[in-house]
Amino acid sequence: MIKCLKLILFLCFITTYNSQTTNNNSPQELFIQSIRNTGEHKTIPLGKTIYQGVFTGNGLLGTMTYLKDASSCKVTIGRTDVYDHRNGEENLFERPRLPLGYFEVKLSDNIIEATGKINLYNAESSAELKTNSGNIHINAITFSEEDYILLQIDDQNYKNKYEIIWVPEKSESPRRNFSYVKQPENYLPNPTARITNHNSIITSYQPMLAGGGYSIAYMEKKFDNLRHILIATDYQINNNGAENNAEKRLTSFEWNKLFSKIKNHQNWWHQYYNKSSFNIPDQELQDFYNYQLYKLASATRADKPAIDLQGPWTDKTPWPGYWYNLNMQLTYSPLYTANHLELAESLIKAIDKNYNSLIKNVPKEYQYNSIALGRSGGPDMYAPVKVLKGSNESITNSEAETGNLTWLLYYYYQHYDFTQDEVLGNKVFNLLKKSINYYIHLLGKNKEGKYKLEAKTYSPEYSKGYAFNTNYDLSILRWGLKTLIEMDSKKGRKDMLHSQWQDILQNRIPFPTNEGGYMIAQDVPYSESHRHYSHLLMIYPFYEINWDQTENHNIIEKSINTWQSKPEALQGYSLTGHASMKAMMGHGNESRDIVKTFIQKFVKPNTLYAESGPVIETPLAGMQSIQELYLQHWNGVTRIFPAVPEDWKDISFKNLRTSGAFLISAIRKNGKNTEVSIYSEKGGQIKIKPNFEGSFTASGSGNLIQQNNSVYVYKIPKGKILTLKAN
């Protein structure tokens, strides 16, 4: 009896202590604990697809571990820059992303149960295979700062024979696996890979018909009762050096520093997670958010390739490349608020590097001052747009997507706006000017003297979307003109086109509408289910038509309701876009519920997403939709907890980034905003809506410049913090 009483008192003490510790923890400590918890409690039953696997990555290399068959597990190896580079116009056959291959762990008996976990905090995956002969454990690490992969096999509990086999994938466009895709004539796969063994290093070299090749080399050491398989890769376009380079990299590996290398790898990830925090009182959404943060740093880095549709994890797919009419935009969308601009640099560098391709993408008549980007392509961003004013030449829908580059530059602009880096500002201004020049070439005036597009363009994904004056293009054009004018005015300069931009902006035709709200185009009503919100970009993400404008409430609601009223073709990003629009309206309950429906209906067990093949962008768009419950910036105003669900009483975030190079931290307790902290990285003014219920006090550095109802303008010096606290 006494022992039971002591036990009860002890448990009560522990519960009270844990509760006090949790309540007193900082937002950052709570977030780091959630990262740890996600990795510890989220177990994935391994299946026979990559959507039921566990993964690692470092922005260039990656692993995906899942089942091959009843007695085998596979660990696929991916490398994000391995693209074919043949000449020709068939981007997705001549220059597609190529698979490398996989390691097969082949057991002597059937697998009874297979489970996997991803340790998000330390960035490694583990798989447990259970059989009647015992269990075998496979751990994978893709080193963060060195381009090596380490597989660790624990077979101490397995009492039967097994083998590990490298299997190279056929080096051809993955679109060859899909019969509904039109196949080019006389297409040949690359030659068969050749495998050699030299000094216990096995190398699989894949020569390419276009020249060069890629290799995967591996070696094995056994210690600490584990089999350690170290993997290196190489890829060369113009020479055959890749055959030996991977082997040389393995030879130079310092095995005596293995454990310090693992520690350095873990420390990189720990520092990464400390850049910001985001605490959600919903385990499903918190796990989902944490996985996306892990996925982003697995998929790219500042010095690594931009993220394509697959990231480092390859599979059979009809989409072996980059898509520029929504996918790449959504992929990068959450990085800016999350304060991970170091990852978003890969997008900036990709655009800068491929400037010449952007010129080549427009008709020759316009190449002297214009740039553009078509629907899809490889890492060289060669994707022609063939819209020509006054031309009757037949072109494909993908060649008529005129607005893709300008929309992509919206995120380049965000990078500048969120950092106030004037070097970036100058670059994006020049890029945006030339992308808008293409539109100017296509403009003419109607009878009322209003500017309109005098060439058909294409509104992505809509079957009848090849039309005059699509809302896709008019929204993008309006945002581009407005941004150029604002940037030019801020600089105090007067670009020679400034007055023309103003004239077009003030005298353009209105967005086409009917009784259902915004139409697809001038003569194209919304009449069939449409997964893309290409006709609603003026609402989101541009916020040109927004909830501050009470006169636009009706058309916003009608347009969204009309879009959602035909659900047949709606996909995952239809829901994330819908959730973001609801968040703009302040409808937190609805926005949260839409995101949860999206996760439950469309997101795979390991948070990947598929439409005929893996496409990475939609869960990342879902991450941004969640961010927008906590922090939004539009119409010049930064909004704190603007769309919080009613039952989320105690929440917080730290160091989320917003316009003007400000880092925001905030706490909400018992359903009320209690504290907002604003750090000014560059110095300047912020217009903020803190959403306190009553009065508040300001402390620290910063002067109140203006107040308009619930919106306040503060000027905060560089490197200083202003704190607002509810009374």
Side-chain angles (χ1 to χ4, degrees):
M1 180 70 176
I2 294 175
K3 288 183 178 180
C4 289
L5 182 59
K6 286 182 177 179
L7 178 60
I8 292 170
L9 290 172
F10 174 76
L11 292 174
C12 288
F13 168 77
I14 290 296
T15 301
T16 303
Y17 173 80
N18 286 339
S19 175
Q20 290 173 346
T21 302
T22 299
N23 290 337
N24 293 329
N25 280 351
S26 70
Q28 195 65 40
E29 290 170 330
L30 290 171
F31 180 63
I32 294 300
Q33 188 58 50
S34 80
I35 295 285
R36 292 177 178 272
N37 290 343
T38 296
E40 289 172 3
H41 79 249
K42 190 171 176 61
T43 299
I44 299 169
L46 297 183
K48 295 179 182 178
T49 71
I50 68 168
Y51 313 108
Q52 301 158 295
V54 289
F55 53 88
T56 68
N58 72 356
L60 179 69
L61 304 179
T63 68
M64 179 70 74
T65 305
Y66 57 105
L67 297 182
K68 181 177 183 292
D69 53 41
S71 60
S72 297
C73 181
K74 64 193 295 187
V75 183
T76 62
I77 306 298
R79 179 168 167 141
T80 60
D81 64 348
V82 176
Y83 273 75
D84 214 335
H85 52 103
R86 308 182 195 189
N87 293 324
E89 295 295 320
E90 294 278 356
N91 268 346
L92 301 173
F93 283 96
E94 307 289 352
R95 289 178 296 282
R97 172 80 175 273
L98 295 172
L100 304 187
Y102 58 90
F103 288 91
E104 180 181 1
V105 182
K106 189 172 182 59
L107 310 184
S108 296
D109 41 7
N110 286 345
I111 298 167
I112 299 171
E113 182 183 5
T115 56
K117 282 188 177 182
I118 301 177
N119 182 329
L120 300 185
Y121 190 59
N122 289 329
E124 57 187 65
S125 71
S126 61
E128 189 79 20
L129 310 179
K130 296 181 179 180
T131 76
N132 288 326
S133 301
N135 304 341
I136 194 165
H137 185 273
I138 305 167
N139 199 68
I141 298 172
T142 302
F143 287 99
S144 184
E145 296 180 278
E146 297 183 272
D147 290 327
Y148 295 100
I149 293 170
L150 180 68
L151 304 183
Q152 296 170 308
I153 315 295
D154 183 352
D155 56 9
Q156 295 300 298
N157 186 249
Y158 186 65
K159 307 306 180 185
N160 211 333
K161 294 180 180 180
Y162 73 98
E163 55 183 334
I164 300 174
I165 309 162
W166 167 253
V167 182
E169 294 272 16
K170 192 174 185 179
S171 184
E172 65 177 2
S173 172
R175 284 172 75 84
R176 297 275 286 172
N177 296 293
F178 294 85
S179 58
Y180 61 82
V181 174
K182 183 181 178 181
Q183 304 289 316
E185 296 181 8
N186 304 318
Y187 178 87
L188 294 174
N190 287 309
T192 303
R194 56 177 180 259
I195 299 177
T196 58
N197 189 334
H198 182 249
N199 293 331
S200 298
I201 295 177
I202 298 174
T203 300
S204 174
Y205 177 67
Q206 176 62 65
M208 303 173 76
L209 293 173
Y214 50 94
S215 63
I216 299 87
Y218 63 98
M219 64 185 301
E220 181 177 337
K221 288 185 179 292
K222 188 163 186 175
F223 53 90
D224 292 339
N225 293 320
L226 298 175
R227 292 179 67 177
H228 294 76
I229 298 173
L230 186 69
I231 303 155
T233 69
D234 196 69
Y235 173 44
Q236 300 293 327
I237 292 178
N238 297 317
N239 60 66
N240 297 324
E243 185 163 16
N244 297 320
N245 288 351
E247 179 181 337
K248 290 177 182 177
R249 296 197 67 246
L250 288 182
T251 302
S252 66
F253 187 81
E254 299 171 291
W255 281 95
N256 61 320
K257 296 182 180 179
L258 176 62
F259 297 110
S260 65
K261 289 177 183 290
I262 293 174
K263 187 65 177 175
N264 290 340
H265 159 79
Q266 294 172 349
N267 287 339
W268 185 96
W269 281 90
H270 299 169
Q271 292 169 17
Y272 169 74
Y273 289 126
N274 271 308
K275 294 265 292 187
S276 63
S277 72
F278 202 96
N279 297 305
I280 309 171
D282 181 305
Q283 191 66 57
E284 180 181 47
L285 294 184
Q286 185 75 66
D287 287 347
F288 176 80
Y289 188 93
N290 295 349
Y291 258 80
Q292 305 324 302
L293 199 58
Y294 170 78
K295 192 185 295 177
L296 281 163
S298 298
T300 194
R301 303 287 171 84
D303 59 343
K304 301 292 170 64
I307 307 172
D308 63 12
L309 263 66
Q310 297 179 82
W313 312 292
T314 56
D315 194 39
K316 289 182 172 59
T317 177
W319 328 118
Y322 292 83
W323 254 254
Y324 306 115
N325 62 4
L326 171 137
N327 308 70
M328 200 173 192
Q329 289 88 336
L330 297 193
T331 295
Y332 279 85
S333 63
L335 286 172
Y336 308 96
T337 298
N339 193 27
H340 284 292
L341 299 178
E342 77 283 3
L343 301 185
E345 284 181 26
S346 62
L347 174 62
I348 299 297
K349 291 176 179 177
I351 294 172
D352 291 347
K353 177 183 177 182
N354 293 305
Y355 178 72
N356 288 335
S357 291
L358 302 180
I359 295 173
K360 293 176 184 177
N361 287 337
V362 299
K364 289 182 180 180
E365 293 87 338
Y366 307 146
Q367 289 182 3
Y368 70 96
N369 75 345
S370 302
I371 54 178
L373 185 60
R375 178 179 297 173
S376 60
D380 60 358
M381 286 190 162
Y382 177 69
V385 181
K386 298 184 178 180
V387 177
L388 191 64
K389 185 177 179 180
S391 173
N392 294 318
E393 181 183 352
S394 176
I395 61 176
T396 65
N397 287 340
S398 63
E399 294 167 339
E401 289 182 358
T402 313
N404 298 344
L405 177 60
T406 310
W407 186 13
L408 192 60
L409 290 176
Y410 172 77
Y411 297 94
Y412 199 129
Y413 173 79
Q414 270 203 307
H415 204 126
Y416 154 69
D417 187 37
F418 281 36
T419 61
Q420 295 298 296
D421 181 334
E422 293 305 328
V423 173
L424 275 182
N426 289 331
K427 289 199 293 184
V428 73
F429 181 85
N430 291 326
L431 289 165
L432 188 55
K433 177 180 174 179
K434 291 183 177 180
S435 69
I436 293 300
N437 278 347
Y438 189 14
Y439 274 120
I440 292 175
H441 285 300
L442 306 178
L443 291 175
K445 288 186 176 181
N446 63 16
K447 293 178 181 179
E448 291 76 33
K450 300 293 184 180
Y451 287 98
K452 62 185 179 68
L453 290 166
E454 292 191 337
K456 285 186 176 182
T457 59
Y458 185 65
S459 182
E461 304 285 350
Y462 199 74
S463 67
K464 304 180 187 70
Y466 183 53
F468 288 104
N469 296 301
T470 71
N471 269 325
Y472 180 71
D473 288 288
L474 293 178
S475 299
I476 288 169
L477 174 60
R478 175 172 168 171
W479 173 82
L481 288 168
K482 184 179 177 182
T483 303
L484 284 171
I485 293 167
E486 289 176 353
M487 292 185 74
D488 201 40
S489 300
K490 179 182 176 183
K491 280 287 189 182
R493 58 192 175 192
K494 193 76 171 179
D495 190 278
M496 60 185 298
L497 296 177
H498 189 108
S499 58
Q500 186 180 21
W501 297 332
Q502 286 183 315
D503 182 38
I504 298 170
L505 184 63
Q506 293 167 7
N507 296 291
R508 73 201 184 284
I509 63 169
F511 297 124
T513 60
N514 64 6
E515 66 280 357
Y518 290 115
M519 300 164 63
I520 299 297
Q522 175 181 303
D523 298 312
V524 184
Y526 183 88
S527 60
E528 61 187 47
S529 186
H530 183 32
R531 64 181 181 175
H532 200 304
Y533 46 95
S534 53
H535 62 305
L536 301 180
L537 295 191
M538 74 291 283
I539 299 174
Y540 183 83
F542 295 144
Y543 298 107
E544 295 292 325
I545 304 298
N546 60 64
W547 207 243
D548 282 351
Q549 303 158 347
T550 55
E551 70 276 14
N552 285 325
H553 283 194
N554 184 48
I555 195 166
I556 290 172
E557 290 186 312
K558 277 200 305 184
S559 299
I560 295 171
N561 291 340
T562 298
W563 174 43
Q564 293 288 312
S565 69
K566 300 180 185 298
E568 301 81 24
L570 299 184
Q571 291 293 326
Y573 59 78
S574 313
L575 294 182
T576 65
H578 187 199
S580 291
M581 294 176 196
K582 287 293 184 180
M584 176 199 67
M585 298 160 71
H587 298 172
N589 290 353
E590 288 183 74
S591 181
R592 181 267 317 273
D593 292 346
I594 292 167
V595 173
K596 287 180 74 70
T597 298
F598 154 66
I599 292 172
Q600 293 158 11
K601 184 176 180 180
F602 288 101
V603 174
K604 305 301 183 182
N606 59 4
T607 81
L608 264 63
Y609 176 78
E611 289 185 25
S612 300
V615 277
I616 201 171
E617 79 291 321
T618 300
L620 300 175
M623 179 184 181
Q624 186 184 35
S625 299
I626 295 171
Q627 290 172 344
E628 289 161 350
L629 302 176
Y630 281 34
L631 184 69
Q632 296 176 23
H633 177 86
W634 46 271
N635 205 21
V637 179
T638 295
R639 302 150 199 270
I640 310 301
F641 295 126
V644 177
E646 292 173 347
D647 56 337
W648 289 10
K649 301 300 183 183
D650 300 309
I651 55 179
S652 62
F653 64 82
K654 183 178 180 182
N655 287 342
L656 298 187
R657 187 174 283 271
T658 193
S659 172
F662 294 99
L663 294 175
I664 311 292
S665 304
I667 297 172
R668 183 177 175 90
K669 292 182 178 179
N670 297 320
K672 297 179 181 180
N673 294 1
T674 59
E675 182 175 332
V676 178
S677 175
I678 311 163
Y679 171 73
S680 178
E681 200 170 62
K682 297 290 178 69
Q685 291 187 11
I686 183 171
K687 185 183 289 187
I688 191 165
K689 188 174 184 179
N691 285 318
F692 292 119
E693 287 196 5
S695 62
F696 64 92
T697 56
S699 62
S701 300
N703 297 319
L704 179 62
I705 305 299
Q706 183 181 345
Q707 177 184 347
N708 182 15
N709 296 325
S710 58
V711 176
Y712 302 80
V713 180
Y714 289 97
K715 186 174 183 180
I716 307 174
K718 178 180 179 179
K720 299 298 183 179
I721 298 174
L722 175 69
T723 300
L724 311 177
K725 287 189 176 182
N727 292 328

